[in-house]
Amino acid sequence: MGGGPESPKLEGKKHDLLLCVLPWPEPKESLKKIQRQYPKLEIKYIHVPHANRGWKPAEGVPGELYKRANILATLSILPPSASEAPNLSLVHIFSAGINNIVNHPIYTDSKIPLTTSSGIHGPQIAEWVIMTTLIQSHKYNDTYEGQKRHDWGNYGAGKGVRDMVGQRVGVLGYGSIGRQVARVANALGMDVIAYTASPRSTPDSKKDKGFIVPGTGDPDGTIPSAWYSGLDKESLHGFLQQEIDLLVISVPLTKQTTHLLSTPEFDLLARSNPNLTYVANISRGAIINQEALVSALYAKKLRGAALDVTDPEPLPPDSSLWSAPNVLITPHISGNSVNYVERAFQVLEENLKRREEGKDLVNEVDRKRGY
């Protein structure tokens, strides 16, 4: 196994290099802040085209920079191997998920610490979840079509609205995004139940130990009225049969979570809730068996689905998912925010500080778990 050197103190060396290879214009204020904290740190910023999903080779990045870099900040562009970046001691990924790099040699054949930007997406994605749920429950699309026709008499669009007070949201994957969904849903009067891979039976285990945007989320894990956990289907089914009105999918994509939800799960949701379940997926498309989802929508086993992710992406024009009933599809944009890059650099800042202090990194990837 290859790997980088032990983390040095940044202020103690003159030639430490932070290499940023990112698809956004240079965020000068964020870089100035880091430079003020670490005046001896050399910072190189390379603006690259926005890549599609999946890691990309180091096109446009001089090999000499990879050889000198101690810290790499990137979305998906990586050096071909750890041996071509011998001084690399930290890779910070500007996304929450890392499923797109799990086959890269730096992931599989090195011990270089990897950290993610998990925690920065909660505010905007929670808003997307609530927005799309309200669009469905308030039949907004029908109203909007009436507006385009200049038709005031579309009264039917306002009938049958069921407000969210007393409804139950099941958060499948109670990370930073799920916790912010819980916070907003709780404010709307909803009951929240949470599902995690491992048990959270103590107050400390329920705390969020990742990066938290101030004033958001559920830092102490006190919002859910009940917690469920497990890696087996029986445990998952115990959670799904709790008469869930809104199921929010926010688990990472791993071999274990691929097609985690399919026909048996949709059947169970239908049997357990006479009002039917609305599914919101903001994680990865492959967590859902897409053909099974389309069948469930046509069979009216679900109230509908809001999907910011699909399988594959981009979704082909001839996919049957486009015309499935009561489905709302957006092109993997729920995490977009003008604050995105600034917050991702805040996570990096926190980890630079922790390296200096010899503390555990925030959002460090566990290679064995796959996230």
Side-chain angles (χ1 to χ4, degrees):
M1 297 283 281
E6 292 186 5
S7 301
K9 284 185 173 294
L10 294 176
E11 292 180 344
K13 299 187 69 178
K14 292 183 178 180
H15 301 296
D16 278 329
L17 171 62
L18 165 60
L19 175 60
C20 306
V21 185
L22 294 165
W24 297 282
E26 183 174 340
K28 294 183 179 180
E29 290 305 313
S30 293
L31 296 180
K32 283 180 183 178
K33 188 176 179 183
I34 292 175
Q35 193 74 80
R36 286 195 297 268
Q37 292 174 310
Y38 304 102
K40 295 181 181 180
L41 179 66
E42 181 184 359
I43 301 175
K44 292 285 187 183
Y45 193 95
I46 298 179
H47 182 203
V48 294
H50 203 296
N52 291 326
R53 307 294 167 189
W55 68 270
K56 298 293 177 183
E59 296 177 3
V61 182
E64 173 267 336
L65 288 180
Y66 277 130
K67 288 180 181 179
R68 291 202 297 116
N70 304 91
I71 304 151
L72 173 63
T74 184
L75 180 64
S76 58
I77 294 181
L78 295 167
S81 67
S83 63
E84 299 192 37
N87 295 308
L88 206 54
S89 59
L90 174 64
V91 176
H92 180 64
I93 305 293
F94 272 53
S95 65
I98 48 87
N99 58 289
N100 58 326
I101 66 165
V102 294
N103 294 318
H104 191 281
I106 282 183
Y107 188 96
T108 58
D109 301 331
S110 86
K111 294 182 180 178
I112 299 171
L114 304 169
T115 57
T116 73
S117 298
S118 178
I120 72 171
H121 308 79
Q124 62 270 34
I125 292 184
E127 290 175 8
W128 182 94
V129 169
I130 299 301
M131 174 190 72
T132 54
T133 303
L134 291 174
I135 284 174
Q136 192 278 332
S137 65
H138 283 258
K139 304 179 181 179
Y140 174 75
N141 285 339
D142 291 340
T143 306
Y144 181 57
E145 290 302 316
Q147 178 184 339
K148 289 194 294 185
R149 296 192 303 268
H150 300 190
D151 179 8
W152 179 262
N154 191 21
Y155 299 111
K159 293 180 179 179
V161 172
R162 179 174 169 235
D163 63 53
M164 301 176 83
V165 176
Q167 292 195 50
R168 173 168 292 158
V169 54
V171 183
L172 183 58
Y174 203 62
S176 60
I177 294 170
R179 288 170 185 258
Q180 178 63 5
V181 170
R183 186 187 187 105
V184 178
N186 182 253
L188 289 170
M190 301 185 77
D191 176 49
V192 177
I193 60 174
Y195 191 90
T196 52
S198 55
R200 305 297 176 92
S201 55
T202 65
D204 184 66
S205 68
K206 293 179 180 179
K207 291 182 178 180
D208 186 354
K209 296 179 174 64
F211 178 83
I212 304 173
V213 176
T216 71
D218 180 18
D220 294 323
T222 57
I223 291 176
S225 61
W227 290 68
Y228 298 80
S229 63
L231 296 171
D232 57 286
K233 283 287 187 177
E234 184 179 355
S235 298
L236 174 64
H237 289 182
F239 169 72
L240 294 178
Q241 64 186 9
Q242 299 304 311
E243 200 170 336
I244 294 172
D245 295 291
L246 169 62
L247 177 65
V248 180
I249 302 168
S250 56
V251 295
L253 179 63
T254 65
K255 289 182 180 179
Q256 224 161 9
T257 61
T258 299
H259 287 187
L260 184 66
L261 299 176
S262 191
T263 299
E265 288 69 42
F266 297 138
D267 287 347
L268 181 58
L269 288 169
R271 289 196 303 270
S272 65
N273 188 348
N275 293 307
L276 300 181
T277 302
Y278 193 68
V279 174
N281 187 7
I282 50 78
S283 186
R284 292 293 185 268
I287 291 168
I288 291 178
N289 180 330
Q290 202 156 276
E291 290 184 6
L293 174 65
V294 171
S295 296
L297 289 167
Y298 273 105
K300 297 183 179 180
K301 294 177 181 178
L302 298 171
R303 184 154 45 93
L307 309 171
D308 187 50
V309 289
T310 60
D311 184 23
E313 291 182 8
L315 187 64
D318 60 352
S319 171
S320 59
L321 186 62
W322 287 110
S323 55
N326 297 323
V327 67
L328 192 157
I329 301 170
T330 58
H332 208 140
I333 57 169
S334 67
N336 290 1
S337 168
V338 295
N339 304 114
Y340 190 103
V341 176
E342 177 188 1
R343 288 173 180 162
F345 270 106
Q346 287 173 2
V347 183
L348 177 58
E349 279 182 62
E350 175 65 22
N351 276 331
L352 294 180
K353 178 183 176 183
R354 290 188 178 214
R355 280 161 50 96
E356 289 285 284
E357 298 173 350
K359 295 180 179 179
D360 291 340
L361 300 175
V362 69
N363 294 350
E364 183 168 3
V365 173
D366 183 337
R367 282 172 165 86
K368 291 181 180 179
R369 300 183 73 176
Y371 57 91

